[in-house]
Amino acid sequence: MSWTNFLLALFGGLICWVAWIALAGGTQHQTVVISTGSEQGIYFQVGKEIGDSYATRHPAVRCEVVSSEGSHENVTRLQNGTADVAILQNDAVADERVRSLAMLYTEVLHLVCRKDAGIQCLNDLAGHPTNLGSQSGGTHSLVEALLRFSRVQIPTSQQLNLGFSDSAEALRSGDVDAAFFLVGLGSEIIQDLIANPEFELVPIQIRAVDSEGTFVSERAFIDGFRTHYPHAEFAEIPLMSYEGSPTSPTPSVGIGAVLACRASWEEELASDLVQTLFAHRAVLGRKISLLSGLDEQSSQTQLQFPLHRGAEAYFRRNEPGYLAENAESIGVLITVALLLASGLHGLKKWIDQKRKNRVDVYYGRVQQILDSLGSQGFSNFGDALRDLEAIESTTCQELIEERLDADHSFVILQNMIHRCRAEIERAAATAGRT
């Protein structure tokens, strides 16, 4: 290899190296903050798995999964911009700065009670210390509304507002006889409690009026509650959901868990996240059984917060465009337009022909005057000139009234009138000399 070729190769390699460094340095990882729940709760697990799948599918994105006190705190983070994505209850109170991405699963209200407390329904809670859930989480607002609807009054002195972990400890220590947990089915904290024979799951139901042993239909009760709390739904804790418990399906109330984001979040990132969610749903379902029921159709329905533009673009990706969707209507309109244009064209031809026929009549009248000038002994030059002027006046008037067109035919008629006038004047002058 010559020195020239060697230097050229070295120079080319140096340029490629500099370009690679520049491109590598220019690749910036974008951080997406996902606000979840307590690190022992299902929100945190779901958020972490979704974040991992998102980062795996999009290497330029780094997901930061942060814990929180629950749904209310997550709403606050979305509204003040400290989080991009969060998991919320569908009944959370938020403003226009929050948008939905997809419905994930249904959370079910679990009422865990000490067996020795003898609690069978919501009415029995009135005489027992009860944890209603942390005020920064979503359990508290649902339970408060449910008790108010049920006309169950627990003295303030017996109401506690503890988070999930502290609530479980209070049950174990005997500080409370009952505690509410709004969690996904299969929750680890419920599993640990129910494994202890001291605790049991109590149905979300109320006792019939003036009856100790009869309860109001659970579904009818929840349907009535929905008139005041529209985002709630009837739910059941299935048979043996927690390693042998409950021994029969336990009626309860459910609230949807929604993957949400701030309204100002980038449309492309939102669309990519929803796409990742459904592309990895088999993997996510194996890791977290609650996500095995993910479905694109149901994930768009009954959402309190409007869909983010990016999520909407993903869900509607297979919908036909405007032209395809309205092809039949557009075809009918085009057909009608063509028929109308054809009809108008035919009408114009008819009108033009009618005007042409009128011009032909005047051609004949002028020609008659010219023919009469050639007759032997013709002397009515004044009458002929008056007839010609009458024709000229009439045709001008019809032109103004648009009964004749100012076209080539009309020009020919005017030329005939001028020629006829000249012939009349010439014939009259000849007759005067004789």
Side-chain angles (χ1 to χ4, degrees):
M1 178 184 291
S2 67
W3 279 104
T4 302
N5 292 336
F6 175 76
L7 290 174
L8 286 174
L10 182 62
F11 183 67
L14 182 62
I15 290 178
C16 291
W17 180 74
V18 171
W20 182 83
I21 292 295
L23 289 173
T27 302
Q28 297 181 352
H29 284 78
Q30 186 160 4
T31 300
V32 174
V33 179
I34 303 177
S35 186
T36 57
S38 68
E39 294 187 8
Q40 294 77 35
I42 194 69
Y43 275 17
F44 189 86
Q45 298 175 41
V46 170
K48 187 176 185 308
E49 293 299 337
I50 292 176
D52 289 345
S53 296
Y54 191 30
T56 299
R57 189 178 177 91
H58 301 279
V61 174
R62 185 178 69 86
C63 290
E64 181 183 345
V65 180
V66 295
S67 61
S68 77
E69 290 295 320
S71 191
H72 291 178
E73 185 175 1
N74 290 345
V75 167
T76 302
R77 289 177 177 176
L78 289 180
Q79 290 181 161
N80 63 25
T82 55
D84 303 304
V85 179
I87 302 175
L88 312 176
Q89 289 174 203
N90 200 35
D91 62 342
V93 178
D95 58 25
E96 69 281 355
R97 290 173 290 179
V98 175
R99 290 290 184 269
S100 296
L101 292 173
M103 182 77 76
L104 296 175
Y105 57 87
T106 299
E107 293 187 295
V108 181
L109 187 63
H110 293 66
L111 175 55
V112 181
C113 301
R114 298 185 62 86
K115 284 184 179 179
D116 57 13
I119 299 171
Q120 294 181 296
C121 61
L122 296 179
N123 308 84
D124 296 336
L125 294 174
H128 298 273
T130 304
N131 182 58
L132 307 186
S134 170
Q135 292 186 345
S136 59
T139 303
H140 183 271
S141 57
L142 174 62
V143 171
E144 193 176 53
L146 187 64
L147 295 176
R148 186 166 54 248
F149 172 75
S150 306
R151 303 293 193 272
V152 174
Q153 296 182 352
I154 301 175
T156 305
S157 60
Q158 293 187 325
Q159 293 182 24
L160 283 82
N161 301 117
L162 305 175
F164 287 167
S165 298
D166 292 338
S167 179
E169 288 302 318
L171 277 169
R172 293 187 182 100
S173 65
D175 291 337
V176 297
D177 291 337
F180 288 96
F181 301 86
L182 182 61
V183 292
L185 290 172
S187 169
E188 185 177 343
I189 195 166
I190 301 297
Q191 180 65 62
D192 290 344
L193 286 170
I194 297 302
N196 188 328
E198 295 181 4
F199 305 115
E200 64 180 348
L201 283 170
V202 173
I204 302 299
Q205 60 185 3
I206 58 172
R207 188 173 286 110
V209 179
D210 299 328
S211 177
E212 285 296 321
T214 306
F215 300 98
V216 173
S217 165
E218 297 89 355
R219 188 176 291 274
F221 169 58
I222 299 304
D223 285 344
F225 176 56
R226 289 183 62 192
T227 62
H228 301 273
Y229 209 84
H231 299 292
E233 59 185 89
F234 177 78
E236 281 187 334
I237 302 172
L239 173 72
M240 302 175 70
S241 300
Y242 297 96
E243 297 184 5
S245 295
T247 55
S248 62
T250 303
S252 184
V253 58
I255 296 289
V258 180
L259 187 66
C261 67
R262 53 185 175 86
S264 58
W265 200 37
E266 291 87 339
E267 186 172 338
E268 183 178 355
L269 289 176
S271 180
D272 286 345
L273 179 56
V274 178
Q275 184 180 25
T276 299
L277 181 67
F278 290 102
H280 289 226
R281 59 184 168 186
V283 175
L284 291 171
R286 284 195 297 270
K287 293 181 177 180
I288 301 175
S289 60
L290 284 171
L291 298 180
S292 61
L294 274 174
D295 174 72
E296 287 191 21
Q297 190 62 37
S298 60
S299 291
Q300 308 172 53
T301 58
Q302 298 181 338
L303 293 168
Q304 178 187 186
F305 314 113
L307 276 173
H308 189 278
R309 292 187 306 275
E312 193 170 13
Y314 173 78
F315 286 127
R316 296 186 176 180
R317 67 195 184 283
N318 295 324
E319 290 185 5
Y322 178 82
L323 292 178
E325 188 175 356
N326 298 280
E328 186 175 347
S329 300
I330 293 173
V332 172
L333 289 175
I334 291 174
T335 302
V336 171
L338 289 174
L339 290 173
L340 182 60
S342 178
L344 292 174
H345 180 68
L347 178 63
K348 184 178 183 303
K349 287 184 66 177
W350 179 78
I351 293 173
D352 290 345
Q353 185 61 45
K354 187 175 180 181
R355 289 173 175 173
K356 177 68 169 55
N357 292 340
R358 293 183 67 81
V359 171
D360 290 346
V361 170
Y362 294 120
Y363 285 166
R365 288 175 60 183
V366 173
Q367 189 62 46
Q368 286 178 358
I369 296 174
L370 286 171
D371 292 344
S372 65
L373 292 176
S375 301
Q376 190 172 3
F378 180 82
S379 60
N380 296 324
F381 300 111
D383 292 341
L385 188 59
R386 281 191 292 274
D387 289 343
L388 187 63
E389 289 175 348
I391 292 171
E392 185 175 27
S393 176
T394 301
T395 55
C396 287
Q397 184 61 35
E398 290 191 1
L399 180 67
I400 294 171
E401 295 172 356
E402 296 185 352
R403 296 172 66 189
L404 290 177
D405 287 330
D407 55 8
H408 185 63
S409 298
F410 189 79
V411 172
I412 293 174
L413 176 62
Q414 294 300 308
N415 290 336
M416 287 183 66
I417 291 173
H418 292 322
R419 184 166 64 86
C420 185
R421 180 180 287 109
E423 288 293 328
I424 293 172
E425 292 174 350
R426 184 184 61 78
T430 303
R433 287 196 297 272
T434 59

